[in-house]
Amino acid sequence: MPTIETFTRILIIDDDEDDFFLTADYIKSIPEFKCKIDWCFNYNNAVTAIQQQGYDIYFVDYRLGAKTGIDLLQEARSMQCEEPIVLLTGKGNKTVDMEAMRIGATDYLIKGELTSEKIERCIRYSLERSATLKALKASESKYRSIFEQSKDAVFTTTPDLFFLDINTACAKLFGYSPAEMNTISLYDLMTPRAKEYTRQVLEYTGELMDYETELMTKTQDTKYCILTAVMQNSGSANAYVQGIIHDITNLKKAEKANLQMEKLA
């Protein structure tokens, strides 16, 4: 069985010292698992420790004096804690279990049913899930930055091309505010011929690639554009279209001016 991680920092938050030692012993008995285990028995100190982000995983007892593990979970999520939090309880309680998972607990364990194997599986799952979520968040942040900073208009729409999300360049191109864009369809900006062609291509192939067309702005100005739109998750309830619009209006104007100069010459 592969090891969990080379070195893992663990904080057990429990107001009962005997329960702390019991949980710690189960963790220490995991084969080939290197870790540093600390104990926190005070609720406020636990909030501070989570805020300082000094640990890789937290085991939190449900009973914490006047407060509960659910209260601590809520505070941790309000502080944008991304590390996994496992709730421990003396007895199984489905209501507590469901509430903990709803708030964001990674797992829920009953103290009387703990074994080294259960703890090992819980830690492995929690750390792997945390790493995956952090990677996804970093990826989303990266591509969101590219999306926002793109000079071309980038968008996502419903299958009927009603705008769902647009970047700044898209709103600027058409002269609408983002709120206004969310009430219209890309079809509304097209000529009847372009609308019919786009609809047929997306319906039969799911991809409209580098289509040169005219699009209308809010002030009824014509923009010459190259449109690419691709259907995602086609046929499912989660289907959507993502696309990009490259504005070639200035290029078209320059070509027209050059053509007129050639005719004059």
Side-chain angles (χ1 to χ4, degrees), residues 53 162 165 178 194 252:
Q53 301 178 352
F162 279 92
D165 196 10
K252 283 290 186 181

Side-chain angles (χ1 to χ4, degrees), residues 66-79:
K67 297 278 191 175
T68 69
I70 296 293
D71 296 324
L72 187 58
L73 265 171
Q74 290 175 327
E75 290 213 42
R77 294 314 171 207
S78 70
M79 294 184 290

Side-chain angles (χ1 to χ4, degrees), residues 114-125:
L114 287 181
T115 64
S116 295
E117 290 76 15
K118 280 188 177 182
I119 287 279
E120 190 271 345
R121 191 161 50 246
C122 171
I123 294 175
R124 183 190 303 280
Y125 165 78

Side-chain angles (χ1 to χ4, degrees), residues 254-265:
E255 289 178 352
K256 186 176 181 180
N258 288 335
L259 182 59
Q260 289 177 337
M261 289 178 66
E262 289 175 2
K263 286 182 177 179
L264 289 172

Side-chain angles (χ1 to χ4, degrees), residues 92-112:
N93 186 317
K94 186 176 180 180
T95 302
V96 174
D97 183 1
M98 293 178 65
E99 179 66 8
M101 302 307 283
R102 183 189 68 80
I103 295 173
T106 309
D107 207 345
Y108 176 91
L109 299 176
I110 301 172
K111 291 181 178 180

Side-chain angles (χ1 to χ4, degrees), residues 107-172:
D107 207 345
Y108 176 91
L109 299 176
I110 301 172
K111 291 181 178 180
E113 299 176 1
L114 287 181
T115 64
S116 295
E117 290 76 15
K118 280 188 177 182
I119 287 279
E120 190 271 345
R121 191 161 50 246
C122 171
I123 294 175
R124 183 190 303 280
Y125 165 78
S126 299
L127 293 178
E128 288 178 352
R129 180 173 181 268
S130 177
T132 300
L133 290 176
K134 286 180 180 179
L136 283 173
K137 187 174 181 179
S139 178
E140 288 175 359
S141 177
K142 174 184 175 182
Y143 287 105
R144 188 70 195 181
S145 177
I146 294 172
F147 177 85
E148 290 296 344
Q149 295 177 17
S150 173
K151 300 299 182 183
D152 286 325
V154 184
F155 62 86
T156 59
T157 72
T158 66
D160 292 330
L161 298 194
F162 279 92
F163 290 102
L164 295 172
D165 196 10
I166 61 169
N167 67 351
T168 303
C170 190
K172 185 177 179 181

